[in-house]
Amino acid sequence: MNSRHLIILMALSGAININAQRTVQTLKNGWEFCRGDSFNESVSQKVTVPHDWAIYGPFDRKHDLQVVAVEQNGEAEATEKTGRTGGLPFIGKGIYRTVFEVPDTTSRTITLVFDGVMSNADVTLNGKKVISWPYGYNSFYAVVDGIAVPGENYLEVACENKDGQSRWYPGAGIYRNVHVVNTDKIHIPTWGTFVTTPVVTKEYASISLTMDIEGTYNRQNIRVETVILNPQGKEVAKASNVFCARGQEFTQNFLVNDPDLWSPRNPELYTAKTTLSVDGKDVDEYETRFGIRSLAYVPEKGFFLNGEPIKFKGVCNHHDLGPLGAAVNKSALRHQLDLLKDMGVNAIRTSHNMPAPELVELCDEMGLMMMVEPFDDWGFRPKSPNGYGAVFNEWADKDVSNMVRHYRNNPSVVMWSIGNEVPSQWGEPGINELMRLRNTVRQLDPTRPITCGMDQVGEGAVIDNGFAAALDIPGFNYKPQLYDKFYEKLPNRLILGSETASTVSSRGQYFFPIEFKDHNVVLHEGNQSNSYDNESCSWSNTPDLDFARDDDHDWCIGQFVWTGFDYLGEPSPYDTDAWPSHSSVFGIIDLASLPKDRYYLYRSKWNDESPTLHILPHWNWKGREDEITPVFVYTSYPKAELFINGKSQGMREKNDSTVYNRYRLMWMDTRYEPGEVRVVAYDNDGHAVAEKTIKTAGKPHHLVAIPNRTSLTANGEDLSYITIQVADKDGNIIPTDNRRVKFKVSGAGTFEATANGDPTSLLPFQNPEMDLFSGAATAIVRSSNSEGTLIFTASAPGVKPVTTTIEVK
Ligand code: GAL
């Protein structure tokens, strides 16, 4: 890269936040990237960061072919696995370069903060190595004083992904943000504060703010002034102290009267604004956002937030954003959380790795509790041959420390997990690893309990060997049928479903006859799973069993379902050599962010603010006339009557005769005839309170496009997810029309990506066309930096096109 080139890049480099004493520049634009060992200008491309080099594909069975025995599936012999990590080209090396400017380095400290680089990052600045960080999911930083220079600074980040490093699609490259933090030499360092709220009542709360101050010389006097701002930005408490700084931590204490408590319903956020000054001159200003809330895990009685009992209605999620890959985008995350909140979700488990900071910020703001988890592997007998286990011994403490220091001020984080289904659950080495992680976490944050996702419950494993007892909260992955036994044997007196269900279903795909197959693998032609939500894997079950445990015992503190969204990789039960099959079907919502039927089952149980009434399957079964086609209704109402073409099929009421009848209304013997299915729901007093109808659709007539948002921010990053379907002339959606649709975007935005939720589709996500799957696909559009109208058109042969507009402001 020549210097003229660099100056142009520099001008493009990203957002700068300035207060008087510190600036934070996020390096988004002006990066150059190439694959390979060394930078080759002739093949390099201009990219923006966050960037995921592998999501552009193409999909291919040859990528990361793994010959493994998946122990969790009970396999004893290694076999070839395709699509296990998504069938995308993430293995190999890549190099990124950019340049940023530092006005002056005199009396300044420059810190580079990386939110996450996948993986094995090697960072050099101005030709000098500044830091390496193997784990792709963690945030890390490097102070580059003495290396950063006034003027242009040349930053290079090399990374490498290895074969067999993962059990799912990890993404590739600088997939999270990079920041340049410029402070006075005397400053609060990265993640240098810790707020706790030791006493929380309705009337008052005590706040304790501990901080590090760096860059002082011995015994220097520093004035530290902190104001506490309430959610409306009004000052509600203040402290001003002079500390004689010699490298020790300082704590300031505050009383806040009449606090607005943080909870999923009211995610109220406070800010501690700290100003450091020396000899009357301000040198640093640091803001710590936090919430006031109390956590109590009470034996036998459950989990209490602000003194109120609350169960985890949680989901586990991997970090990928489907067709956007791993490249983080706040708008995409917000869309995920909006969908989950509407389902009634109140908690997220970041399985099995550290989240993007944007996700934690959103959970704080939107009111979702978090279980933050760092690892899928420890050092002892790791699951992935080239995964974290290879570096665990050297890196685990550093990784866990960064995680805890990064997120210990976030009120959404209510629990730390230290691992997932680690083979260390067996025996001595494992207990040592557990104690090591537990102690590191506890030392940095004594306020939150520690759990671990456990699955080894046989003789000699976690129940007997002290592993589960050493956790504050024992978290079990699956096996709800054994919870009573665990509860009786363990001293903890609480049980968490750290991972539940793993029901498999493909959106809108129905297979007959319908039988409930808990703990059994069922395979169908076309590598799809049944949308009647009656199938799981050998280790897993349908949602009903977990609902029952939560409903029946206070000591069950809730659950985290595997998973909220489908993700790239782990295409169980087609996780053998069943190519093409590259993404999971565990999700309640598919890879195109379209809810499956299962969404409404959870919604009917978990959303206690708005009622649910959902009918499945669709009613377009040409060729199945008069065949048994069961109808299920997922509803928050206790009973309902079903009509097919006006003929009553009888009333059903939720009851305890089977666990499925407890949560679903089912008509198992209904026969298909074209026309209309209507359901009328009744409340407990026998009043008809709601109804819903679905109809057999007629001939394809026109396309329908429904954006989730019709107004976007002109920041070049905001997204709208547009659902595309085919309708008949009366507007009935045709759930079986799978034609290819093409997209065009003009005006104030660009086409970003598309997906249809079909785990077997090999179409690239970035081309502006997609086959509908079960009658639907999603097109994602991105706002421009300037205001205007974004015009989106979808067209397909044989049906009328559709145009929709989105305002970009
Ligand atoms: C669990 C595991 C998850 C995922 C899931 C699929 O055992 O913790 O990462 O593999 O099974 O059911």
Side-chain angles (χ1 to χ4, degrees):
M1 201 174 341
N2 62 42
S3 67
R4 225 184 68 231
H5 198 167
L6 286 172
I7 289 166
I8 296 167
L9 292 181
M10 204 168 61
L12 293 170
S13 254
I16 303 187
N17 288 325
I18 303 184
N19 63 33
Q21 301 81 27
R22 67 164 59 213
T23 64
V24 180
Q25 184 181 7
T26 300
L27 304 179
K28 286 180 179 285
N29 300 309
W31 289 86
E32 290 208 300
F33 163 72
C34 74
R35 297 285 311 260
D37 288 342
S38 56
F39 202 86
N40 179 347
E41 275 180 31
S42 62
V43 296
S44 70
Q45 322 158 237
K46 289 191 164 63
V47 297
T48 54
V49 162
H51 176 246
D52 175 354
W53 85 56
I55 193 62
Y56 303 93
F59 285 109
D60 198 308
R61 73 184 293 284
K62 71 171 194 265
H63 296 311
D64 198 26
L65 269 184
Q66 295 188 14
V67 180
V68 278
V70 181
E71 267 183 48
Q72 153 211 11
N73 298 7
E75 294 175 5
E77 269 179 40
T79 56
E80 190 164 76
K81 304 283 186 307
T82 52
R84 189 163 195 238
T85 50
L88 287 164
F90 71 93
I91 309 282
K93 296 186 179 174
I95 304 185
Y96 292 82
R97 278 183 175 181
T98 194
V99 59
F100 63 89
E101 189 158 14
V102 174
D104 186 6
T105 50
T106 324
S107 314
R108 305 298 293 174
T109 280
I110 310 296
T111 309
L112 301 179
V113 181
F114 294 85
D115 290 348
V117 179
M118 190 60 69
S119 58
N120 295 302
D122 273 321
V123 180
T124 50
L125 183 68
N126 301 328
K128 297 199 181 94
K129 173 147 178 198
V130 293
I131 194 165
S132 297
W133 203 276
Y135 198 34
Y137 292 104
N138 212 355
S139 301
F140 58 94
Y141 63 92
V143 173
V144 291
D145 293 349
I147 301 178
V149 293
E152 292 168 5
N153 285 268
Y154 298 79
L155 176 63
E156 182 169 301
V157 181
C159 32
E160 179 178 11
N161 289 323
K162 300 183 179 161
D163 278 309
Q165 76 171 44
S166 185
R167 296 194 297 119
W168 56 83
Y169 176 70
I174 310 182
Y175 72 112
R176 290 179 180 167
N177 280 301
V178 180
H179 316 273
V180 182
V181 182
N182 182 331
T183 61
D184 192 278
K185 278 266 178 277
I186 299 177
H187 65 282
I188 296 180
T190 306
W191 314 323
T193 58
F194 182 27
V195 183
T196 58
T197 53
V199 178
V200 177
T201 68
K202 285 208 172 74
E203 293 74 35
Y204 61 85
S206 72
I207 317 286
S208 166
L209 173 72
T210 298
M211 71 193 80
D212 296 333
I213 297 175
E214 278 181 4
T216 59
Y217 52 88
N218 208 6
R219 290 169 181 276
Q220 192 167 15
N221 279 343
I222 311 276
R223 174 166 295 278
V224 180
E225 183 169 295
T226 299
V227 293
I228 305 289
L229 303 173
N230 75 3
Q232 291 73 42
K234 193 172 153 243
E235 182 179 316
V236 288
K238 181 171 176 173
S240 186
N241 309 95
V242 176
F243 291 115
C244 176
R246 25 171 39 169
Q248 78 278 37
E249 285 179 346
F250 299 111
T251 299
Q252 292 182 310
N253 295 300
F254 309 85
L255 178 75
V256 170
N257 284 312
D258 205 11
D260 290 322
L261 303 188
W262 187 95
S263 71
R265 268 186 220 278
N266 294 307
E268 304 285 4
L269 295 170
Y270 284 74
T271 304
K273 201 163 150 188
T274 304
T275 306
L276 307 185
S277 50
V278 178
D279 301 332
K281 183 173 166 261
D282 291 352
V283 291
D284 194 18
E285 188 175 291
Y286 191 94
E287 292 193 0
T288 309
R289 199 170 71 162
F290 67 101
I292 303 177
R293 46 111 182 99
S294 69
L295 311 176
Y297 292 83
V298 184
E300 299 179 29
K301 289 214 163 298
F303 168 47
F304 291 72
L305 180 73
N306 302 328
E308 304 282 335
I310 186 167
K311 296 236 181 201
F312 289 108
K313 301 189 247 182
V315 294
C316 307
N317 272 338
H318 273 321
H319 67 309
D320 79 60
L321 295 167
L324 305 180
V328 70
N329 176 291
K330 200 163 178 179
S331 179
L333 288 170
R334 189 181 287 113
H335 180 46
Q336 288 200 330
L337 300 183
D338 276 337
L339 285 167
L340 293 171
K341 276 213 84 139
D342 179 61
M343 190 176 101
V345 164
N346 66 10
I348 306 277
R349 172 185 183 218
T350 68
S351 40
H352 309 295
N353 37 258
M354 296 83 171
E358 289 83 354
L359 177 63
V360 187
E361 282 163 25
L362 283 169
C363 286
D364 281 354
E365 290 162 13
M366 295 173 71
L368 286 137
M369 298 181 283
M370 300 188 86
M371 179 210 283
V372 172
E373 175 171 272
F375 306 128
D376 189 48
D377 261 333
W378 294 351
F380 177 65
R381 281 182 49 219
K383 296 174 235 176
S384 302
N386 268 325
Y388 193 72
V391 297
F392 179 89
N393 283 336
E394 187 186 344
W395 283 88
D397 300 298
K398 294 180 232 177
D399 273 315
V400 162
S401 301
N402 277 18
M403 174 185 85
V404 175
R405 292 182 57 235
H406 199 171
Y407 298 121
R408 63 187 175 173
N409 294 323
N410 293 88
S412 55
V413 180
V414 297
M415 191 185 297
W416 302 110
S417 163
I418 50 176
N420 175 62
E421 295 186 357
V422 288
S424 307
Q425 290 166 98
W426 295 95
E428 193 69 26
I431 303 282
N432 294 340
E433 290 176 328
L434 181 152
M435 295 308 291
R436 170 179 166 191
L437 294 173
R438 195 188 80 170
N439 293 345
T440 308
V441 173
R442 216 168 251 175
Q443 199 187 353
L444 290 165
D445 177 14
T447 71
R448 294 171 175 89
I450 296 168
T451 188
C452 180
M454 299 176 289
D455 66 330
Q456 296 302 318
V457 297
E459 220 180 297
V462 298
I463 308 292
D464 305 324
N465 69 11
F467 193 104
L471 298 165
D472 299 318
I473 308 285
F476 290 97
N477 289 6
Y478 312 101
K479 310 175 185 65
Q481 66 281 13
L482 302 180
Y483 283 2
D484 308 80
K485 196 171 120 197
F486 306 155
Y487 179 66
E488 283 314 317
K489 282 200 156 179
L490 291 173
N492 323 65
R493 310 302 290 161
L494 291 172
I495 300 281
L496 170 67
S498 42
E499 194 170 310
T500 61
S502 269
T503 305
V504 284
S505 67
S506 309
R507 178 181 51 78
Q509 301 284 303
Y510 305 93
F511 300 92
F512 304 93
I514 306 307
E515 276 175 90
F516 281 87
K517 292 277 187 189
D518 279 304
H519 313 299
N520 264 307
V521 178
V522 185
L523 300 177
H524 301 286
E525 246 174 62
N527 295 356
Q528 305 293 351
S529 294
N530 207 333
S531 203
Y532 274 96
D533 305 320
N534 57 331
E535 293 172 0
S536 58
C537 297
S538 57
W539 61 92
S540 63
N541 55 266
T542 57
D544 316 66
L545 307 189
D546 302 306
F547 287 148
R549 301 323 315 251
D550 283 345
D551 280 349
D552 294 344
H553 310 284
D554 289 344
W555 47 260
C556 275
I557 64 172
Q559 56 170 310
F560 290 85
V561 181
W562 192 264
T563 45
F565 281 77
D566 278 340
Y567 49 94
L568 293 159
E570 210 183 26
S572 312
Y574 304 98
D575 58 345
T576 48
D577 186 10
W579 189 259
S581 185
H582 54 63
S583 49
S584 87
V585 288
F586 293 118
I588 298 169
I589 302 168
D590 77 8
L591 208 67
S593 294
L594 297 171
K596 303 179 186 174
D597 289 303
R598 205 154 18 113
Y599 182 87
Y600 301 95
L601 181 57
Y602 283 100
R603 193 183 190 283
S604 70
K605 261 306 277 171
W606 284 358
N607 184 332
D608 43 24
E609 288 176 349
S610 123
T612 300
L613 185 58
H614 175 78
I615 305 175
L616 67 138
H618 61 70
W619 211 241
N620 292 261
W621 293 107
K622 201 167 178 354
R624 279 191 66 78
E625 284 77 7
D626 212 32
E627 284 190 55
I628 288 190
T629 308
V631 175
F632 288 9
V633 169
Y634 295 159
T635 181
S636 44
Y637 298 109
K639 51 188 165 185
E641 184 170 9
L642 188 79
F643 300 87
I644 297 179
N645 292 331
K647 225 176 334 135
S648 174
Q649 308 294 311
M651 183 82 93
R652 295 285 183 276
E653 180 161 10
K654 291 181 192 165
N655 64 73
D656 288 345
S657 59
T658 68
V659 74
Y660 312 111
N661 284 329
R662 216 172 146 180
Y663 300 106
R664 316 180 191 208
L665 302 179
M666 299 184 289
W667 288 260
M668 296 305 285
D669 301 323
T670 41
R671 289 176 189 268
Y672 175 65
E673 57 185 64
E676 125 179 344
V677 178
R678 186 162 67 98
V679 65
V680 180
Y682 288 81
D683 65 14
N684 278 321
D685 302 325
H687 299 123
V689 280
E691 67 171 70
K692 175 142 199 184
T693 303
I694 57 168
K695 288 184 181 163
T696 309
K699 288 205 187 103
H701 179 260
H702 62 273
L703 286 172
V704 177
I706 304 173
N708 75 322
R709 298 169 67 204
T710 52
S711 171
L712 297 180
T713 305
N715 61 4
E717 294 185 354
D718 215 4
L719 304 178
S720 183
Y721 283 64
I722 306 174
T723 307
I724 316 294
Q725 289 164 304
V726 177
D728 68 10
K729 67 177 181 5
D730 301 320
N732 296 306
I733 296 299
I734 309 179
T736 48
D737 193 313
N738 289 340
R739 75 189 64 214
R740 181 162 302 185
V741 181
K742 293 192 188 258
F743 314 120
K744 261 203 189 124
V745 178
S746 59
T750 47
F751 172 79
E752 177 70 18
T754 175
N756 62 8
D758 177 358
T760 70
S761 167
L762 299 181
L763 292 174
F765 296 129
Q766 297 79 20
N767 284 359
E769 58 179 35
M770 187 46 70
D771 293 342
L772 303 183
F773 172 65
S774 298
T778 301
I780 307 172
V781 296
R782 180 188 279 259
S783 66
S784 62
N785 278 307
S786 45
E787 297 188 1
T789 302
L790 181 156
I791 302 156
F792 171 86
T793 303
S795 58
V799 284
K800 277 196 189 162
V802 61
T803 295
T804 186
T805 58
I806 292 171
E807 291 314 311
V808 176
K809 304 181 206 168

